[in-house]
Amino acid sequence: MSYTIRDAQTEDMSQVLKLIKELASFEKEENAVEVSVQDLINDGFGTQKLFHCFVAESDNAIVGMALVYPRYSTWKGPIIHLEDLIVTEDMRGSGLGTALLNEVVKYGNSLGVRRINWEVIDWNEPAIEFYESKGAKVMRDWDVVQLDEEGIKNYLENME
């Protein structure tokens, strides 16, 4: 099956959101997605662009995506974070994941970043093996730390 990798457009965001929800379901977090199509449009294509998105298109359907945004490392300088790389289930094994990752790496290189970061859930062994096969270092000795919206509010209420 053939596909094309390109920069996402605003009209792709409904299909991108569908992929995001597919990933959330795969990760057993189907109710965790709060972002809307309008949020994606505002945040990715507004006056202050918060992310860059690549999509993979096949037969006029979005079958994969990779979403990145800039970060800064106090050790390395400018880096980008790969928030999600998603390939529809029926396209896995087609080379599409590699094609999307290739675009992310080329994009990061064009920006002059010194590192590309991302997370992978610890039980997704096929994804871990894929990333390691591409030369990525999976750092199993680090834990992800988050404050969600409620945690932020609680933190602020209990500050001293």
Side-chain angles (χ1 to χ4, degrees), residues 8 15 24 31 44 47 72 78 88 104-105 107 111 119-121 144 147:
Q15 290 183 73
N31 296 321
T47 54
Y72 193 84
T88 58
V104 168
V105 173
Y107 177 72
L111 296 176
E119 286 98 29
V120 60
I121 199 161
V144 175
L147 272 175

Side-chain angles (χ1 to χ4, degrees), residues 13-60:
M13 290 302 103
S14 63
Q15 290 183 73
V16 165
L17 182 57
K18 184 177 174 189
L19 286 172
I20 292 168
K21 289 179 178 180
E22 184 178 323
L23 176 65
S25 180
F26 173 77
E27 293 184 354
K28 300 168 181 59
E29 292 281 345
E30 45 276 321
N31 296 321
V33 177
E34 297 177 10
V35 71
S36 69
V37 170
Q38 194 58 53
D39 291 332
L40 291 169
I41 291 169
N42 293 345
D43 297 339
F45 303 91
T47 54
Q48 186 179 358
K49 190 174 171 186
L50 300 179
F51 65 82
H52 187 85
C53 184
F54 298 99
V55 294
E57 187 174 35
S58 179
D59 295 326
N60 296 316

Side-chain angles (χ1 to χ4, degrees), residues 15-135:
Q15 290 183 73
V16 165
L17 182 57
K18 184 177 174 189
L19 286 172
I20 292 168
K21 289 179 178 180
E22 184 178 323
L23 176 65
S25 180
F26 173 77
E27 293 184 354
K28 300 168 181 59
E29 292 281 345
E30 45 276 321
N31 296 321
V33 177
E34 297 177 10
V35 71
S36 69
V37 170
Q38 194 58 53
D39 291 332
L40 291 169
I41 291 169
N42 293 345
D43 297 339
F45 303 91
T47 54
Q48 186 179 358
K49 190 174 171 186
L50 300 179
F51 65 82
H52 187 85
C53 184
F54 298 99
V55 294
E57 187 174 35
S58 179
D59 295 326
N60 296 316
I62 304 299
V63 294
M65 57 85 77
L67 189 144
V68 299
Y69 57 89
R71 287 178 55 183
Y72 193 84
S73 165
T74 56
W75 290 10
K76 301 293 182 190
I79 64 174
I80 59 172
H81 183 83
L82 171 59
E83 180 65 21
D84 283 317
L85 190 155
I86 308 169
V87 174
T88 58
E89 190 173 354
D90 61 327
M91 290 295 289
R92 292 184 192 138
S94 70
L96 183 55
T98 296
L100 283 164
L101 188 57
N102 290 349
E103 286 302 312
V104 168
V105 173
K106 289 189 294 188
Y107 177 72
N109 186 61
S110 75
L111 296 176
V113 302
R114 297 193 180 128
R115 188 172 67 209
I116 301 170
N117 280 49
W118 66 97
E119 286 98 29
V120 60
I121 199 161
D122 64 355
W123 53 260
N124 191 347
E125 284 301 324
I128 292 168
E129 290 172 15
F130 169 73
Y131 293 133
E132 288 179 332
S133 78
K134 301 299 181 191

